[in-house]
Amino acid sequence: MFEKYVVPVLDFRSKMCKEIVTTSTLNSVKNLCVLYDCLATVENGVNPKDEENHQKMVELWFLFSMIWSVCCTVTGESRKIMDNFIRELEGQFPSKDTVYEYYIDVKQKFWVLWEDKLRSGWRYNPIVRQDDEKRVRDDLNNWTVGSAEYRRNSAIVRRLQK
């Protein structure tokens, strides 16, 4: 599954998508493995004794883990591009919305809209997501706690830029 999905997705992400926060290939793959390890459980339908559905559930949870580790770091615009690419690789997703709008229903053993878990009439406001992406980009420098020398040099650079 790594060769079928992860290698092409990582290549596509690096060439065609923009990330909110750049992540390395190694970190993305590590996150995929950790997430898959947490989700691919007997409780979630990945049961080696269930010969009929085992492989299907392994693949479903692998794809879900890939989407929410490797593919989730891209911007809102890039998510549309990534959605199309993932659908070209794997045609099992329902046609409504994007691959990001689905979770795996263990009973149905298939993709179901996250929206179905919400109360009737609730809708996500996409403007909030765009604002959040901008805030993350603008606040990256604030995440670093620097030394006194770093703060002094930053103040000097800010004054010189004025």
Side-chain angles (χ1 to χ4, degrees):
M1 282 189 271
F2 273 89
E3 288 179 14
K4 181 178 179 181
Y5 299 118
V6 179
V7 172
V9 165
L10 283 168
D11 186 51
F12 183 82
R13 184 184 75 179
S14 69
K15 291 178 182 173
M16 303 301 291
C17 298
K18 292 181 182 175
E19 291 184 274
I20 299 170
V21 177
T22 305
T23 53
S24 70
T25 299
L26 180 61
N27 193 48
S28 295
V29 171
K30 178 186 176 226
N31 290 339
L32 164 61
C33 293
V34 169
L35 185 57
Y36 179 77
D37 190 48
C38 291
L39 296 173
T41 64
V42 173
E43 295 81 17
N44 282 337
V46 181
N47 185 351
K49 294 178 182 175
D50 181 4
E51 293 178 16
E52 183 181 338
N53 297 304
H54 181 256
Q55 184 59 36
K56 178 180 182 174
M57 295 306 289
V58 165
E59 189 165 3
L60 286 171
W61 284 113
F62 187 87
L63 286 167
F64 182 88
S65 298
M66 182 186 72
I67 290 165
W68 290 108
S69 59
V70 176
C71 306
C72 71
T73 60
V74 299
T75 64
E77 288 182 27
S78 290
R79 281 188 176 199
K80 295 173 190 170
I81 299 166
M82 182 63 80
D83 172 66
N84 288 331
F85 184 73
I86 292 171
R87 288 173 184 278
E88 287 175 16
L89 283 177
E90 181 55 60
Q92 66 175 277
F93 292 93
S95 58
K96 183 181 178 190
D97 295 321
T98 69
V99 296
Y100 298 96
E101 318 312 324
Y102 290 91
Y103 74 98
I104 299 164
D105 184 294
V106 177
K107 290 179 183 169
Q108 294 182 37
K109 298 177 179 22
F110 198 66
W111 301 101
V112 178
L113 284 169
W114 285 105
E115 190 176 282
D116 293 349
K117 284 191 167 272
L118 303 172
R119 69 182 187 282
S120 180
W122 186 91
R123 231 22 200 158
Y124 175 74
N125 184 351
I127 295 171
V128 173
R129 187 175 75 203
Q130 292 168 358
D131 290 344
D132 285 345
E133 288 175 6
K134 182 180 182 325
R135 183 185 46 74
V136 167
R137 284 192 305 272
D138 292 345
D139 288 348
L140 279 178
N141 290 333
N142 295 334
W143 293 353
T144 305
V145 178
S147 63
E149 183 178 344
Y150 172 81
R151 289 189 299 274
R152 183 177 56 246
N153 289 340
S154 296
I156 292 169
V157 168
R158 281 193 301 273
R159 282 192 181 180
L160 290 173
Q161 289 176 337
K162 289 181 179 180

